[in-house]
Amino acid sequence: MPRKSPAEDEVLAAVRRLLRRGLPVTLAAVDPVLLDLRGVIARTVDPADEASRATALDGTLRGLLARFPDTRYATAARALFGLPPATPGVNLTMRRELAAEQAGHEVHHFRKRIEPKLVTTLAAELLADADRFTRSPLIAPRLAPTAARQPVIADPFAWEVAEQEQQLSLLWSAIYAARAELLTVERLISLRADRTDVLRAAVTAAWRWAVARAEAISYTTAFAPDLSVDDLTALAGWTPPLTAAQTSRLTEAAAGGASRAQFVAHLHGETGLSNTWTEGFLTAPQTPTRQ
């Protein structure tokens, strides 16, 4: 077995300590090594404030547990760390009993054999999340509240800076709008919603994703030719694999601020493209399971 790096050992030990109290994360129970993870800092409103980082860590852990990769033990992992079906504030002994019940194991076997694997998996997911943020320079700019109006002075340089910030804001708003719709599709599928509702949401997601890609092209062309359009749009979330021609077709249909109705009209008759997009979501993903 390959030896874990010191960072892996530290994060794993910190997650084990965090398990004693469970979620929500509190400063009294969290190891600083978790607060210093790049994925946590990137999500923090105020990186200099430890309480703000603890809040960001709590949200990060909840998201990772919601998408726990081992589907067989996902509910057990959530219960173990104090998320539903567990009740906030329940001690580790009670959480462990509930988790064992959810996993279908006797408590002693669960504690000895299953729990260490779940903790190790969550620690690995935290490190993978941090690695994604470390490798990517594409992080949404933080916004700070302003108490006074900040007019743009009549100067070409000031105009250019304002235009770049405007385009950057349009880009990130489009990326987050696409992400919201992609999450809507996945949530409806998980809820086993009516197929018609899923397909409608998938079309909306295609439109939002195409708008985001059009904004990415516009921004990178004007201000950041070194950035990848594909990397930017990938920040919105997973989408069904498309050919270059299909990607181009979707982007063209959304260009120029097209509404959803206009987007759909532009793609009228594109049955193959529509099927590729929608069926990509409806095909069950391959997920790892433990024996």
PDB file of all heavy atoms in Angstrom, residues 267-289:
ATOM      1  N   LEU A 267     -33.063  25.859 -31.956  1.00  0.00           N
ATOM      2  CA  LEU A 267     -32.676  24.450 -32.012  1.00  0.00           C
ATOM      3  C   LEU A 267     -33.819  23.539 -32.462  1.00  0.00           C
ATOM      4  O   LEU A 267     -33.738  22.319 -32.339  1.00  0.00           O
ATOM      5  CB  LEU A 267     -32.171  23.991 -30.634  1.00  0.00           C
ATOM      6  CG  LEU A 267     -30.889  24.677 -30.139  1.00  0.00           C
ATOM      7  CD1 LEU A 267     -30.566  24.253 -28.713  1.00  0.00           C
ATOM      8  CD2 LEU A 267     -29.708  24.352 -31.056  1.00  0.00           C
ATOM      9  N   HIS A 268     -34.857  24.132 -32.992  1.00  0.00           N
ATOM     10  CA  HIS A 268     -36.002  23.337 -33.458  1.00  0.00           C
ATOM     11  C   HIS A 268     -35.547  22.328 -34.519  1.00  0.00           C
ATOM     12  O   HIS A 268     -34.865  22.683 -35.478  1.00  0.00           O
ATOM     13  CB  HIS A 268     -37.079  24.249 -34.054  1.00  0.00           C
ATOM     14  CG  HIS A 268     -38.268  23.495 -34.564  1.00  0.00           C
ATOM     15  ND1 HIS A 268     -39.167  22.875 -33.726  1.00  0.00           N
ATOM     16  CD2 HIS A 268     -38.695  23.242 -35.838  1.00  0.00           C
ATOM     17  CE1 HIS A 268     -40.089  22.280 -34.441  1.00  0.00           C
ATOM     18  NE2 HIS A 268     -39.841  22.492 -35.724  1.00  0.00           N
ATOM     19  N   GLY A 269     -35.909  21.087 -34.305  1.00  0.00           N
ATOM     20  CA  GLY A 269     -35.520  20.052 -35.266  1.00  0.00           C
ATOM     21  C   GLY A 269     -34.197  19.380 -34.961  1.00  0.00           C
ATOM     22  O   GLY A 269     -33.827  18.407 -35.638  1.00  0.00           O
ATOM     23  N   GLU A 270     -33.460  19.870 -33.950  1.00  0.00           N
ATOM     24  CA  GLU A 270     -32.166  19.270 -33.598  1.00  0.00           C
ATOM     25  C   GLU A 270     -32.403  18.080 -32.651  1.00  0.00           C
ATOM     26  O   GLU A 270     -31.977  18.070 -31.494  1.00  0.00           O
ATOM     27  CB  GLU A 270     -31.270  20.310 -32.930  1.00  0.00           C
ATOM     28  CG  GLU A 270     -30.926  21.504 -33.804  1.00  0.00           C
ATOM     29  CD  GLU A 270     -29.723  21.206 -34.686  1.00  0.00           C
ATOM     30  OE1 GLU A 270     -29.161  20.111 -34.582  1.00  0.00           O
ATOM     31  OE2 GLU A 270     -29.345  22.094 -35.464  1.00  0.00           O
ATOM     32  N   THR A 271     -33.060  17.061 -33.157  1.00  0.00           N
ATOM     33  CA  THR A 271     -33.451  15.922 -32.322  1.00  0.00           C
ATOM     34  C   THR A 271     -32.243  15.187 -31.746  1.00  0.00           C
ATOM     35  O   THR A 271     -32.222  14.816 -30.566  1.00  0.00           O
ATOM     36  CB  THR A 271     -34.308  14.932 -33.129  1.00  0.00           C
ATOM     37  OG1 THR A 271     -35.409  15.644 -33.698  1.00  0.00           O
ATOM     38  CG2 THR A 271     -34.819  13.810 -32.239  1.00  0.00           C
ATOM     39  N   GLY A 272     -31.235  14.960 -32.574  1.00  0.00           N
ATOM     40  CA  GLY A 272     -30.048  14.233 -32.113  1.00  0.00           C
ATOM     41  C   GLY A 272     -29.350  14.946 -30.982  1.00  0.00           C
ATOM     42  O   GLY A 272     -28.970  14.328 -29.975  1.00  0.00           O
ATOM     43  N   LEU A 273     -29.186  16.261 -31.106  1.00  0.00           N
ATOM     44  CA  LEU A 273     -28.541  17.053 -30.061  1.00  0.00           C
ATOM     45  C   LEU A 273     -29.367  17.031 -28.790  1.00  0.00           C
ATOM     46  O   LEU A 273     -28.840  16.866 -27.684  1.00  0.00           O
ATOM     47  CB  LEU A 273     -28.341  18.491 -30.555  1.00  0.00           C
ATOM     48  CG  LEU A 273     -27.787  19.504 -29.554  1.00  0.00           C
ATOM     49  CD1 LEU A 273     -26.488  19.016 -28.938  1.00  0.00           C
ATOM     50  CD2 LEU A 273     -27.585  20.851 -30.238  1.00  0.00           C
ATOM     51  N   SER A 274     -30.677  17.176 -28.934  1.00  0.00           N
ATOM     52  CA  SER A 274     -31.575  17.156 -27.774  1.00  0.00           C
ATOM     53  C   SER A 274     -31.494  15.828 -27.033  1.00  0.00           C
ATOM     54  O   SER A 274     -31.406  15.797 -25.805  1.00  0.00           O
ATOM     55  CB  SER A 274     -33.014  17.419 -28.232  1.00  0.00           C
ATOM     56  OG  SER A 274     -33.911  17.305 -27.138  1.00  0.00           O
ATOM     57  N   ASN A 275     -31.493  14.741 -27.792  1.00  0.00           N
ATOM     58  CA  ASN A 275     -31.425  13.422 -27.160  1.00  0.00           C
ATOM     59  C   ASN A 275     -30.099  13.201 -26.448  1.00  0.00           C
ATOM     60  O   ASN A 275     -30.048  12.624 -25.352  1.00  0.00           O
ATOM     61  CB  ASN A 275     -31.641  12.325 -28.207  1.00  0.00           C
ATOM     62  CG  ASN A 275     -33.074  12.267 -28.698  1.00  0.00           C
ATOM     63  OD1 ASN A 275     -33.985  12.784 -28.043  1.00  0.00           O
ATOM     64  ND2 ASN A 275     -33.288  11.651 -29.848  1.00  0.00           N
ATOM     65  N   THR A 276     -29.015  13.647 -27.071  1.00  0.00           N
ATOM     66  CA  THR A 276     -27.702  13.487 -26.444  1.00  0.00           C
ATOM     67  C   THR A 276     -27.656  14.197 -25.100  1.00  0.00           C
ATOM     68  O   THR A 276     -27.150  13.664 -24.109  1.00  0.00           O
ATOM     69  CB  THR A 276     -26.598  14.046 -27.357  1.00  0.00           C
ATOM     70  OG1 THR A 276     -26.572  13.298 -28.572  1.00  0.00           O
ATOM     71  CG2 THR A 276     -25.233  13.960 -26.694  1.00  0.00           C
ATOM     72  N   TRP A 277     -28.196  15.413 -25.053  1.00  0.00           N
ATOM     73  CA  TRP A 277     -28.182  16.203 -23.823  1.00  0.00           C
ATOM     74  C   TRP A 277     -29.085  15.580 -22.760  1.00  0.00           C
ATOM     75  O   TRP A 277     -28.664  15.322 -21.632  1.00  0.00           O
ATOM     76  CB  TRP A 277     -28.602  17.638 -24.120  1.00  0.00           C
ATOM     77  CG  TRP A 277     -28.611  18.526 -22.921  1.00  0.00           C
ATOM     78  CD1 TRP A 277     -29.660  18.765 -22.081  1.00  0.00           C
ATOM     79  CD2 TRP A 277     -27.519  19.294 -22.393  1.00  0.00           C
ATOM     80  NE1 TRP A 277     -29.299  19.626 -21.079  1.00  0.00           N
ATOM     81  CE2 TRP A 277     -27.989  19.976 -21.251  1.00  0.00           C
ATOM     82  CE3 TRP A 277     -26.198  19.481 -22.790  1.00  0.00           C
ATOM     83  CZ2 TRP A 277     -27.178  20.819 -20.490  1.00  0.00           C
ATOM     84  CZ3 TRP A 277     -25.389  20.330 -22.030  1.00  0.00           C
ATOM     85  CH2 TRP A 277     -25.882  20.987 -20.903  1.00  0.00           C
ATOM     86  N   THR A 278     -30.345  15.334 -23.094  1.00  0.00           N
ATOM     87  CA  THR A 278     -31.302  14.868 -22.086  1.00  0.00           C
ATOM     88  C   THR A 278     -31.013  13.438 -21.636  1.00  0.00           C
ATOM     89  O   THR A 278     -31.054  13.140 -20.437  1.00  0.00           O
ATOM     90  CB  THR A 278     -32.741  14.961 -22.619  1.00  0.00           C
ATOM     91  OG1 THR A 278     -32.854  14.228 -23.840  1.00  0.00           O
ATOM     92  CG2 THR A 278     -33.130  16.408 -22.868  1.00  0.00           C
ATOM     93  N   GLU A 279     -30.705  12.554 -22.578  1.00  0.00           N
ATOM     94  CA  GLU A 279     -30.444  11.163 -22.199  1.00  0.00           C
ATOM     95  C   GLU A 279     -29.163  11.038 -21.386  1.00  0.00           C
ATOM     96  O   GLU A 279     -29.003  10.112 -20.604  1.00  0.00           O
ATOM     97  CB  GLU A 279     -30.369  10.273 -23.441  1.00  0.00           C
ATOM     98  CG  GLU A 279     -31.683  10.141 -24.184  1.00  0.00           C
ATOM     99  CD  GLU A 279     -32.802   9.585 -23.304  1.00  0.00           C
ATOM    100  OE1 GLU A 279     -32.522   8.706 -22.466  1.00  0.00           O
ATOM    101  OE2 GLU A 279     -33.951  10.049 -23.453  1.00  0.00           O
ATOM    102  N   GLY A 280     -28.250  11.988 -21.580  1.00  0.00           N
ATOM    103  CA  GLY A 280     -27.025  11.970 -20.779  1.00  0.00           C
ATOM    104  C   GLY A 280     -27.325  12.102 -19.295  1.00  0.00           C
ATOM    105  O   GLY A 280     -26.663  11.496 -18.453  1.00  0.00           O
ATOM    106  N   PHE A 281     -28.349  12.899 -18.965  1.00  0.00           N
ATOM    107  CA  PHE A 281     -28.745  13.040 -17.565  1.00  0.00           C
ATOM    108  C   PHE A 281     -29.536  11.833 -17.083  1.00  0.00           C
ATOM    109  O   PHE A 281     -29.423  11.432 -15.914  1.00  0.00           O
ATOM    110  CB  PHE A 281     -29.602  14.298 -17.383  1.00  0.00           C
ATOM    111  CG  PHE A 281     -28.828  15.578 -17.453  1.00  0.00           C
ATOM    112  CD1 PHE A 281     -28.951  16.424 -18.553  1.00  0.00           C
ATOM    113  CD2 PHE A 281     -27.971  15.953 -16.431  1.00  0.00           C
ATOM    114  CE1 PHE A 281     -28.234  17.606 -18.626  1.00  0.00           C
ATOM    115  CE2 PHE A 281     -27.257  17.133 -16.491  1.00  0.00           C
ATOM    116  CZ  PHE A 281     -27.388  17.955 -17.598  1.00  0.00           C
ATOM    117  N   LEU A 282     -30.356  11.271 -17.942  1.00  0.00           N
ATOM    118  CA  LEU A 282     -31.245  10.188 -17.540  1.00  0.00           C
ATOM    119  C   LEU A 282     -30.549   8.835 -17.439  1.00  0.00           C
ATOM    120  O   LEU A 282     -31.102   7.892 -16.899  1.00  0.00           O
ATOM    121  CB  LEU A 282     -32.414  10.095 -18.528  1.00  0.00           C
ATOM    122  CG  LEU A 282     -33.326  11.331 -18.532  1.00  0.00           C
ATOM    123  CD1 LEU A 282     -34.359  11.238 -19.645  1.00  0.00           C
ATOM    124  CD2 LEU A 282     -34.031  11.502 -17.182  1.00  0.00           C
ATOM    125  N   THR A 283     -29.331   8.747 -17.980  1.00  0.00           N
ATOM    126  CA  THR A 283     -28.560   7.509 -17.857  1.00  0.00           C
ATOM    127  C   THR A 283     -27.920   7.460 -16.472  1.00  0.00           C
ATOM    128  O   THR A 283     -27.230   8.396 -16.078  1.00  0.00           O
ATOM    129  CB  THR A 283     -27.465   7.443 -18.929  1.00  0.00           C
ATOM    130  OG1 THR A 283     -28.069   7.489 -20.235  1.00  0.00           O
ATOM    131  CG2 THR A 283     -26.668   6.153 -18.806  1.00  0.00           C
ATOM    132  N   ALA A 284     -28.156   6.384 -15.756  1.00  0.00           N
ATOM    133  CA  ALA A 284     -27.651   6.274 -14.375  1.00  0.00           C
ATOM    134  C   ALA A 284     -26.135   6.266 -14.373  1.00  0.00           C
ATOM    135  O   ALA A 284     -25.506   5.537 -15.153  1.00  0.00           O
ATOM    136  CB  ALA A 284     -28.176   5.006 -13.735  1.00  0.00           C
ATOM    137  N   PRO A 285     -25.488   7.092 -13.536  1.00  0.00           N
ATOM    138  CA  PRO A 285     -24.022   7.100 -13.464  1.00  0.00           C
ATOM    139  C   PRO A 285     -23.504   5.853 -12.793  1.00  0.00           C
ATOM    140  O   PRO A 285     -24.183   5.226 -11.977  1.00  0.00           O
ATOM    141  CB  PRO A 285     -23.731   8.347 -12.605  1.00  0.00           C
ATOM    142  CG  PRO A 285     -24.944   8.505 -11.743  1.00  0.00           C
ATOM    143  CD  PRO A 285     -26.110   8.031 -12.570  1.00  0.00           C
ATOM    144  N   GLN A 286     -22.268   5.493 -13.138  1.00  0.00           N
ATOM    145  CA  GLN A 286     -21.605   4.374 -12.487  1.00  0.00           C
ATOM    146  C   GLN A 286     -20.947   4.869 -11.220  1.00  0.00           C
ATOM    147  O   GLN A 286     -20.102   5.757 -11.260  1.00  0.00           O
ATOM    148  CB  GLN A 286     -20.539   3.775 -13.438  1.00  0.00           C
ATOM    149  CG  GLN A 286     -21.117   3.209 -14.720  1.00  0.00           C
ATOM    150  CD  GLN A 286     -22.036   2.029 -14.476  1.00  0.00           C
ATOM    151  OE1 GLN A 286     -21.741   1.160 -13.670  1.00  0.00           O
ATOM    152  NE2 GLN A 286     -23.165   2.001 -15.172  1.00  0.00           N
ATOM    153  N   THR A 287     -21.359   4.341 -10.101  1.00  0.00           N
ATOM    154  CA  THR A 287     -20.802   4.779  -8.821  1.00  0.00           C
ATOM    155  C   THR A 287     -20.146   3.616  -8.111  1.00  0.00           C
ATOM    156  O   THR A 287     -20.623   2.473  -8.187  1.00  0.00           O
ATOM    157  CB  THR A 287     -21.905   5.356  -7.903  1.00  0.00           C
ATOM    158  OG1 THR A 287     -22.958   4.371  -7.776  1.00  0.00           O
ATOM    159  CG2 THR A 287     -22.470   6.629  -8.493  1.00  0.00           C
ATOM    160  N   PRO A 288     -19.048   3.893  -7.380  1.00  0.00           N
ATOM    161  CA  PRO A 288     -18.357   2.811  -6.681  1.00  0.00           C
ATOM    162  C   PRO A 288     -19.161   2.322  -5.485  1.00  0.00           C
ATOM    163  O   PRO A 288     -19.860   3.089  -4.838  1.00  0.00           O
ATOM    164  CB  PRO A 288     -17.049   3.464  -6.221  1.00  0.00           C
ATOM    165  CG  PRO A 288     -17.374   4.911  -6.102  1.00  0.00           C
ATOM    166  CD  PRO A 288     -18.401   5.199  -7.170  1.00  0.00           C
ATOM    167  N   THR A 289     -19.068   1.050  -5.187  1.00  0.00           N
ATOM    168  CA  THR A 289     -19.700   0.489  -3.999  1.00  0.00           C
ATOM    169  C   THR A 289     -18.680  -0.354  -3.254  1.00  0.00           C
ATOM    170  O   THR A 289     -17.732  -0.858  -3.833  1.00  0.00           O
ATOM    171  CB  THR A 289     -20.911  -0.400  -4.364  1.00  0.00           C
ATOM    172  OG1 THR A 289     -20.468  -1.428  -5.252  1.00  0.00           O
ATOM    173  CG2 THR A 289     -21.998   0.414  -5.039  1.00  0.00           C
TER     174      THR A 289
END
